[in-house]
Amino acid sequence: MAVVNKMVRPSTPEPVIAAAGLTPKEIFAMLRRHLLLVISLTILGLLIGCGTWYLLRKYYPKYTATTYIEVLPPIETDPTMFMPEQVSKEIRYSHRLSLATLIKQQSTLQELVSRDAIKETQWFKDRDRDIRKAIKYLERHLDVFPQRDGDYIEISMTCSDREEAALIVNEMVDLFLASQGAEKREDIAEKLARLEERRLDVQRDLDAAQRALDDVRNRFGITDLEERRDYRDPIVVKLDNLELEQNQLILQMRELQGIIKNLEELATGPITEQIEHRIERDPVIVLLVQQLALQESVLAGLLTKFGENHRLVRRVQDYIEEIRERKRLREAEIAEQLRQSNLQDAYDRMIE
């Protein structure tokens, strides 16, 4: 019997494929094992966050006060026209951007810090009363942002006291508006000076014409022109022309005096009757008056129900003050529009 020797290789175990991920049961078991750790870390995180918030609020608070300045189109418009001239969006945004740059420039910040109300604040004292440190702080925390799609410039200030933040913002707005008003008054004063020079020139021409008339009368002895109707002497014709020129110069001088008087009234203040008439017809003022009356009635009801120190009563009172301030700003805007309109009318009459 033949024996066949056969080589047998050892069998190799097949690789076991690992599970692709944890099953929900395993995940739940892990959470049960570490439940105390998860709860402890959550509570610890809440305590650390609340403690940090409390310490920052108490020792390093930050408040931001924001206000807005409405910027009109950079052209002179007539408020009596129903279809005012349209200005492109890019031109209006460029005008707002230039004004925002003017507000944030170094000289404006220095004038702001030099004001007495700013020097008396705790914010200025914390800067060691150093103007350079205060200006450096304002450059970082005083934001002036011109809106691209709106007609407003947003001014905001961030510091550790909310009242002082609002004070700094209000002082910046007052400083900017005062500087703009000073420039307008300088323009009016310059126009008045030019008109005064022109009036003096007309007066000199009138005096020269009067002296020429007196010289003609004295040289030729012309005292009565009514008796010589049948003959028109060349000297008489010249005399008539001179008298006509004299009358024209007198009329021009009187007209210039009226224009100068009108410009002086524009420089000193608005015309009360025109402003009152315009305010009564202004839809924004009418809406604000209606809102003010509504809020005052709501305030009366809240006072009867809750008293003066309730939170809702104070909120309504603040809103009423805001409406009154908006009404005052709108009235000032209407007065400025009338002033510019009257100024343009006087200028047009002067050119004619």
Side-chain angles (χ1 to χ4, degrees):
M1 182 175 182
V3 178
V4 178
N5 295 329
K6 186 177 181 180
M7 186 178 293
V8 179
R9 295 181 180 179
S11 60
T12 57
E14 295 181 357
V16 180
I17 300 175
L22 298 175
T23 62
K25 183 177 180 180
E26 293 175 345
I27 295 174
F28 184 71
M30 293 177 62
L31 291 176
R32 288 185 60 184
R33 288 196 301 268
H34 301 288
L35 181 61
L36 182 61
L37 180 60
V38 172
I39 296 175
S40 301
L41 291 178
T42 303
I43 296 175
L44 180 61
L46 289 175
L47 292 176
I48 293 175
C50 294
T52 304
W53 173 80
Y54 176 77
L55 293 176
L56 289 176
R57 184 177 178 86
K58 183 176 181 180
Y59 298 102
Y60 198 69
K62 288 293 183 181
Y63 298 95
T64 301
T66 304
T67 187
Y68 297 89
I69 299 177
E70 184 179 4
V71 181
L72 298 177
I75 59 171
E76 294 183 357
T77 58
D78 188 359
T80 60
M81 295 178 60
F82 293 98
M83 296 295 293
E85 184 177 355
Q86 298 295 329
V87 185
S88 65
K89 184 177 179 181
E90 292 300 327
I91 294 177
R92 300 178 69 170
Y93 174 71
S94 300
H95 181 56
R96 290 192 296 272
L97 184 61
S98 62
L99 292 180
T101 306
L102 182 63
I103 295 174
K104 198 66 184 292
Q105 68 180 358
Q106 187 80 13
S107 60
T108 307
L109 297 179
Q110 187 170 0
E111 291 180 7
L112 175 64
V113 175
S114 301
R115 288 200 161 194
D116 295 335
I118 301 299
K119 291 182 178 179
E120 294 175 358
T121 58
Q122 185 63 36
W123 170 82
F124 186 74
K125 296 176 182 177
D126 293 340
R127 311 276 89 74
D128 299 330
R129 298 183 179 274
D130 190 352
I131 295 180
R132 290 182 299 177
K133 292 182 179 179
I135 293 177
K136 190 174 181 181
Y137 185 92
L138 290 175
E139 290 177 350
R140 293 196 305 267
H141 297 88
L142 181 65
D143 296 328
V144 182
F145 174 71
Q147 297 180 351
R148 176 173 289 274
D149 297 328
D151 294 333
Y152 296 89
I153 295 177
E154 178 180 347
I155 301 177
S156 60
M157 173 64 187
T158 302
C159 66
S160 60
D161 187 270
R162 56 186 177 184
E163 294 182 357
E164 292 184 354
L167 175 64
I168 293 173
V169 169
N170 292 331
E171 289 291 330
M172 172 57 79
V173 173
D174 293 340
L175 176 62
F176 175 71
L177 295 180
S179 64
Q180 293 296 310
E183 292 180 0
K184 296 297 182 182
R185 286 192 293 270
E186 289 177 0
D187 294 340
I188 293 177
E190 184 179 355
K191 291 180 180 179
L192 286 174
R194 291 199 299 266
L195 289 175
E196 182 65 22
E197 292 178 358
R198 184 174 178 183
R199 187 188 68 82
L200 294 176
D201 293 338
V202 173
Q203 184 65 44
R204 284 192 292 267
D205 294 339
L206 180 61
D207 295 338
Q210 186 65 39
R211 287 193 298 269
L213 287 173
D214 294 337
D215 183 53
V216 169
R217 291 190 182 98
N218 296 329
R219 182 181 301 177
F220 298 97
I222 301 174
T223 57
D224 190 3
L225 300 178
E226 296 296 332
E227 297 179 356
R228 306 181 62 183
R229 296 178 182 176
D230 55 345
Y231 175 71
R232 299 289 294 175
D233 191 89
I235 301 299
V236 176
V237 174
K238 184 177 181 181
L239 181 60
D240 292 340
N241 293 332
L242 291 175
E243 288 181 349
L244 180 60
E245 183 179 357
Q246 179 186 4
N247 294 331
Q248 293 177 352
L249 293 174
I250 291 174
L251 292 176
Q252 293 179 3
M253 185 179 65
R254 290 177 180 175
E255 183 177 1
L256 289 176
Q257 288 176 350
I259 294 174
I260 292 173
K261 183 178 180 181
N262 188 14
L263 292 177
E264 289 176 350
E265 292 177 355
L266 291 174
T268 55
I271 302 174
T272 306
E273 295 181 357
Q274 288 183 339
I275 292 177
E276 291 179 353
H277 183 65
R278 189 60 180 274
I279 288 175
E280 291 176 355
R281 298 186 304 167
D282 186 69
V284 178
I285 295 295
V286 173
L287 180 60
L288 291 176
V289 170
Q290 293 176 355
Q291 293 180 357
L292 184 61
L294 177 61
Q295 294 300 323
E296 287 179 349
S297 63
V298 173
L299 177 62
L302 292 176
L303 286 174
T304 305
K305 186 176 181 181
F306 298 109
E308 296 182 355
N309 297 323
H310 195 268
R311 176 173 57 85
L312 293 177
V313 174
R314 291 197 300 268
R315 181 181 300 175
V316 174
Q317 289 175 349
D318 295 339
Y319 186 58
I320 289 175
E321 293 298 329
E322 180 183 354
I323 293 175
R324 289 175 178 172
E325 180 66 17
R326 290 167 58 189
K327 181 174 176 292
R328 184 187 64 80
L329 293 176
R330 180 60 181 173
E331 290 176 353
E333 179 184 356
I334 293 173
E336 183 65 22
Q337 289 178 352
L338 285 176
R339 188 181 295 113
Q340 294 297 329
S341 176
N342 293 336
L343 177 61
Q344 185 64 35
D345 292 341
Y347 182 73
D348 293 339
R349 289 197 301 270
M350 180 189 67
I351 294 177
E352 293 176 358

